[in-house]
Amino acid sequence: MKRREFITSTALSSTLLASGGFLSAFSSSQYDEKDDSLINPIVPIQIFPGFEDKIKSDIIHLKEKYGLKRFLIVGPSKEYRYTGFPKKQVFVGLGELVAHFKEELGKYDIEIGWWCTTTIRIGKGKFQSIIKRDGTVAEEACCPLDADYKDTFSEYVATVVKIAHPFMINFEDDYHLNGGCFCPLHLKEFSEREGRYYSREELQTIFNSKTAEGYRLKKAWGKLSRDSLAGLAKSVREKVDKMAPETRLCLCQSGASEHDGNFTEAVAKAFAGNTRPMVRVYGSSYMSDEPLSLPRSIFNPLYQRQHLPENFELLHESDSFPHTRFFMSSSKLKTFMTAAFAYGLDDSLFYTNQYLENPLEEKGYREMFLKESERFAALKLAVRDCTVGGCEIFRKPATSFNWVNIAGRHGIPYTSKGGKVKLLSGNIVEQMDHDEIVKLLSGSVFLDGDAARLLCQKGYSNLIGAEISSREDTLLPPFYEGVVNPEQFPNIKNRLMYNYAWAFNKRNKDCFYQMKPLAGAEVVTEFLNSRNEPFYPAMTRFENKLGGRVAVMAYSLDDGYINTRSISLFNYSKKELIRSMIEWLGKEPLPVYVKDVPNAFCIFSHSKTKDYSVVVVTGLNSDTFDRFTLAVAPEWQGAKVQLLNNEGIWETVKTAKHNQDFRIEAKVSVMNPVVLKLNKV
């Protein structure tokens, strides 16, 4: 019996027994070597002419040794984007290739599907090309409102299905309009919806006006973009249904999806028809092995899991492009996948190999998967009945979420939905109406300088306790930020923090703002010169007349330097300050918090019955810490702590209590997640 046949019934039984009572809900007899209900990644693979037999052998090897059994053959070649719209025979040949591999490999319990690698960007043809917002023509991209293109592309997809009956089709993430198509077809449709004609130039001026009418029209334009993309998906589904209504069609979500009317849900439903909707959500970082951006890169899977319908099947983009460890380590890919499963994603679109004639040259990713697969499965099972918790990174589609860079490196757990304390940054305020703003400010909210400035411009200074403006010109801006009453924060070791943002980021004067506190606001920190003399406040907190609690920091998190490299935000004192401010805002402690360790990424999930929780702590610092301290809320202070090992078993981990915190004897090292379970006893 191979170790990697998903999870054996024996291993799963041990996992369930150690996890604290799951056996009543999930009997071990439900699972055997062929069960795919836990982890069953889908692997893209390219077939090179003349190497078909070798690649078949490689696929069999991936199945027999690593348990990988679902594959997508990619095609047609993206070269058609440059050489012109492909002929139908290209898809006939592709269907025959998929059918051949399906027939040859079916006896090995291997499923073969198709990755449709050209959709909107499919090559110049006789159809209407997309017109970009600046008026240039995207010659390689076809407008989904062109009826002839819609019919032709749908027929091409149906051709492959008729020949091969792939178990699923994944549509490339070129399925988007990147802000809209301004061709005559779209402008005509928009005029019919709005009751008057708008030229492309007119629309650009109105969209950029930042007026109520501008936001309304921009939203209406996004809806048109969404509807045109969903219409193409519906056309494809209808033609597929005539031959294979059971075939699943998966949307490969584009990073531009929110700029085209937030189309993911609508398009996924249109592709699904009567099958379960399926989306590969984006959440990787290409050509990069640096760890610090990891919380931001993996935020979208969390956001989509919490905002798309629960019945959607979500695959993580486990993409290591260009698929060798010259660019992404297997440790980083492991960290991405661990976070994705901790967030409740269903499975992985897993790039274990290259798009070359010898796809198995790089073995690091599949060896990582072999080692980690049982742990992935146990983690997925443990969080199946859990909710991701912590403070909330508050956002709307296509708006800023830069607080994730801060919380994600300070050991602060967060969610994207349902958190008591909201962390708000940047331009999201521009999309909020009066009622939304009042509701927000009646609760608990932490504002960055930019969000606070926009609220002041809208007339809400009296509810946030401060007036925000651009800094006055001075010979030397403040060198330091200092805590006004350090005795209120006993865990802070340095009252002072550096403020060199003005020196290191001279191009943006508004990387931090000048704040004037209003009556009743408490100044928590202030900017200082080298002689310890104050300039103006840097952080305030305030309880307003609505009963809401509001904290404001002067720094603009929309500034790229501030939210990634600023020593003003990333230091031990600011880490503790932000934690303390969040707890003051919420009038309760965070559920957990990673103390002391710099650049610690923390995920917290609690079961719906709140009798256990799962905590994932990942080091983003290249140093290894032999142990770490986990501050826990009172409800978890009596919990039994377990560690998930590589065999997928929850084992007792050595801990010591220190002032109600847990001192945990487990190493925190770079991109090597520590997975804990807190069981109430």
Side-chain angles (χ1 to χ4, degrees), residues 255-275:
S257 59
E258 293 184 346
H259 296 280
D260 290 331
N262 197 29
F263 67 74
T264 300
E265 180 176 348
V267 170
K269 284 181 175 178
F271 271 138
N274 293 320
T275 66

Side-chain angles (χ1 to χ4, degrees), residues 416-486:
S416 76
K417 185 178 182 180
K420 183 176 182 180
V421 178
K422 319 292 186 188
L423 309 185
L424 192 79
S425 64
N427 60 359
I428 190 171
V429 172
E430 296 174 344
Q431 291 195 22
M432 299 176 70
D433 61 26
H434 173 73
D435 290 343
E436 288 179 294
I437 291 172
V438 169
K439 181 180 179 181
L440 180 78
L441 297 179
S442 299
S444 303
V445 60
F446 203 156
L447 303 169
D448 83 325
D450 212 37
R453 176 184 60 85
L454 290 169
L455 285 169
C456 287
Q457 290 177 355
K458 286 177 173 281
Y460 296 98
S461 297
N462 64 319
L463 293 181
I464 69 174
E467 293 178 353
I468 315 296
S469 60
S470 293
R471 290 182 285 127
E472 297 174 359
D473 290 325
T474 56
L475 179 62
L476 284 176
F479 271 66
Y480 298 99
E481 179 183 356
V483 181
V484 175
N485 296 303

Side-chain angles (χ1 to χ4, degrees), residues 566-609:
S566 173
I567 57 178
S568 307
L569 270 293
F570 301 106
N571 61 70
Y572 292 106
S573 296
K574 188 59 64 75
K575 170 178 162 68
E576 183 59 34
L577 263 176
I578 291 174
R579 175 253 185 127
S580 298
M581 295 292 274
I582 291 170
E583 294 185 339
W584 176 84
L585 287 164
K587 302 180 184 180
E588 62 185 15
L590 286 162
V592 297
Y593 166 69
V594 183
K595 298 180 73 172
D596 306 327
V597 177
N599 296 325
F601 172 34
C602 180
I603 299 171
F604 171 83
S605 298
H606 62 81
S607 65
K608 291 177 182 176
T609 54

Side-chain angles (χ1 to χ4, degrees), residues 247-490:
T247 299
R248 299 184 69 190
L249 307 183
C250 176
L251 171 68
C252 200
Q253 185 193 42
S254 162
S257 59
E258 293 184 346
H259 296 280
D260 290 331
N262 197 29
F263 67 74
T264 300
E265 180 176 348
V267 170
K269 284 181 175 178
F271 271 138
N274 293 320
T275 66
R276 182 185 179 190
M278 190 178 195
V279 181
R280 185 237 65 179
V281 297
Y282 68 84
S284 185
S285 57
Y286 298 162
M287 304 179 75
S288 166
D289 199 41
E290 64 85 23
L292 294 179
S293 64
L294 205 146
R296 183 182 185 87
S297 298
I298 198 65
F299 182 75
N300 181 63
L302 169 64
Y303 186 84
Q304 299 302 331
R305 178 69 288 169
Q306 294 185 322
H307 289 82
L308 288 173
E310 288 186 10
N311 70 314
F312 274 41
E313 181 174 2
L314 301 188
L315 306 177
H316 174 247
E317 179 194 19
S318 307
D319 190 347
S320 55
F321 181 81
H323 316 138
T324 77
R325 286 178 290 178
F326 280 99
F327 292 92
M328 183 186 287
S329 65
S330 58
S331 294
K332 184 167 185 177
L333 190 59
K334 172 184 70 178
T335 304
F336 273 135
M337 294 172 74
T338 301
F341 290 128
Y343 287 154
L345 268 70
D346 297 281
D347 223 310
S348 166
L349 191 66
F350 181 43
Y351 286 79
T352 183
N353 44 259
Q354 303 173 84
Y355 284 175
L356 300 173
E357 89 283 359
N358 179 14
L360 304 188
E361 179 186 29
E362 175 58 79
K363 65 180 182 179
Y365 306 129
R366 61 184 184 273
E367 290 295 330
M368 175 276 291
F369 183 72
L370 179 64
K371 180 180 178 182
E372 296 290 329
S373 57
E374 291 178 357
R375 194 159 81 129
F376 288 156
L379 173 60
K380 180 183 174 185
L381 184 62
V383 302
R384 181 177 280 174
D385 191 41
C386 285
T387 300
V388 178
C391 52
E392 179 182 337
I393 309 294
F394 187 77
R395 73 181 293 260
K396 291 176 176 287
T399 62
S400 162
F401 58 99
N402 288 312
W403 271 105
V404 74
N405 294 358
I406 315 304
R409 289 174 60 181
H410 281 338
I412 296 171
Y414 53 82
T415 181
S416 76
K417 185 178 182 180
K420 183 176 182 180
V421 178
K422 319 292 186 188
L423 309 185
L424 192 79
S425 64
N427 60 359
I428 190 171
V429 172
E430 296 174 344
Q431 291 195 22
M432 299 176 70
D433 61 26
H434 173 73
D435 290 343
E436 288 179 294
I437 291 172
V438 169
K439 181 180 179 181
L440 180 78
L441 297 179
S442 299
S444 303
V445 60
F446 203 156
L447 303 169
D448 83 325
D450 212 37
R453 176 184 60 85
L454 290 169
L455 285 169
C456 287
Q457 290 177 355
K458 286 177 173 281
Y460 296 98
S461 297
N462 64 319
L463 293 181
I464 69 174
E467 293 178 353
I468 315 296
S469 60
S470 293
R471 290 182 285 127
E472 297 174 359
D473 290 325
T474 56
L475 179 62
L476 284 176
F479 271 66
Y480 298 99
E481 179 183 356
V483 181
V484 175
N485 296 303
E487 67 278 3
Q488 295 181 356
F489 307 98

